[in-house]
Amino acid sequence: MTALTRRERLRAELERDAKAVARRIAAEEGVEGLTLAAVAREVGVTPPALYRYFNGRAGLVRAVYDDVTAEFMDIVSQAVQRQDPDDISAQLHAATRAVLDWSLANKVEFDLLMGAGFPKVAASDDDIPMVIARELGGLFGQRFAQLWREGRLTFPADEDIDPALVPQLRTYRETVGLEFPIGVVFLMIICWRQIYGLLCMAVYGHHQFAFDNPMPLFEHMMDDLLGLLGLTRSPNLRVP
């Protein structure tokens, strides 16, 4: 590999520092406080200097979003990789638990990716609304595809699904890049509907006066969702 020149190293360091500052500002002040001027001030350069690295404020927001998404997906992927490659139950369980654990440990970042702050982030780039759907949906979709190919899923036929829902499911399938029947996509969305509800309940503290520990509800939900997919809880589940 060719060694970087001193100029290239300095530029790489500035870009890294700018991303770190941008992420901290977004965490402390929300996306509204994330501007090129604010980041430039903290890293000691002029705002125009950052245009070499980011396409204006929208590019800065996208850089933060991409970094957080990459971190999130790496953690979820690692949770799956710790499981037996033939144990779909363990993979689905571990991936969902990793989503919950990360969300609880990174509430501000959850807000950016999937919570109340998401619409503001999405407004900065037309592609952002599809990123988590493609990444996370694709990861779970691979497991659903395997269950479908093995004939282990019971799912509704197209004609048994509400006609108003079918085109929406088709759009989701095309966006995520899934290659299985609409009824299987419907199962995925049913599962995500429950998972997302529990995530928001846990992250935002809904009913925390009673459900301060989300794990019992989570495990009950997982048993229900695995049962919906014709699976049972794996005795070989590996979680940190």
Side-chain angles (χ1 to χ4, degrees), residues 48-115:
L50 291 183
Y51 273 92
R52 298 176 183 175
Y53 310 95
F54 310 104
N55 182 24
R57 180 179 179 275
L60 192 61
V61 172
R62 180 58 189 259
V64 170
Y65 179 84
D66 286 347
D67 280 356
V68 173
T69 300
E71 173 192 285
F72 169 64
M73 288 306 306
D74 183 59
I75 288 173
V76 179
S77 297
Q78 286 182 33
V80 172
Q81 292 164 12
R82 282 193 292 268
Q83 313 309 313
D84 185 314
D86 295 321
D87 193 339
I88 302 299
S89 173
Q91 292 174 32
L92 291 171
H93 198 148
T96 310
R97 172 66 183 269
V99 171
L100 176 63
D101 288 346
W102 182 88
S103 300
L104 288 173
N106 300 274
K107 294 182 179 181
V108 171
E109 286 82 355
F110 170 86
D111 202 57
L112 292 176
L113 294 192
M114 293 178 273

Side-chain angles (χ1 to χ4, degrees), residues 43 118 125 128 140 187 231:
V43 296
F118 175 74
D125 190 321
I128 281 181
F140 278 91
L187 286 182
L231 301 170

Side-chain angles (χ1 to χ4, degrees), residues 1-2 26 56 76 84 112 122 128 163 175 177 193 200-201 221 235:
M1 294 179 62
T2 304
V76 179
D84 185 314
L112 292 176
I128 281 181
T175 300
R193 182 176 63 193
C200 290
M201 183 175 175
M221 176 190 73

Side-chain angles (χ1 to χ4, degrees), residues 13 172 194 220:
E13 290 173 4
Y172 180 84
Q194 292 196 47
H220 183 272

Side-chain angles (χ1 to χ4, degrees), residues 196-218:
Y196 185 70
L198 181 61
L199 289 176
C200 290
M201 183 175 175
V203 170
Y204 296 126
H206 298 304
H207 298 318
Q208 190 170 14
F209 65 91
F211 301 100
D212 57 321
N213 176 7
M215 286 304 127
L217 277 179
F218 171 81

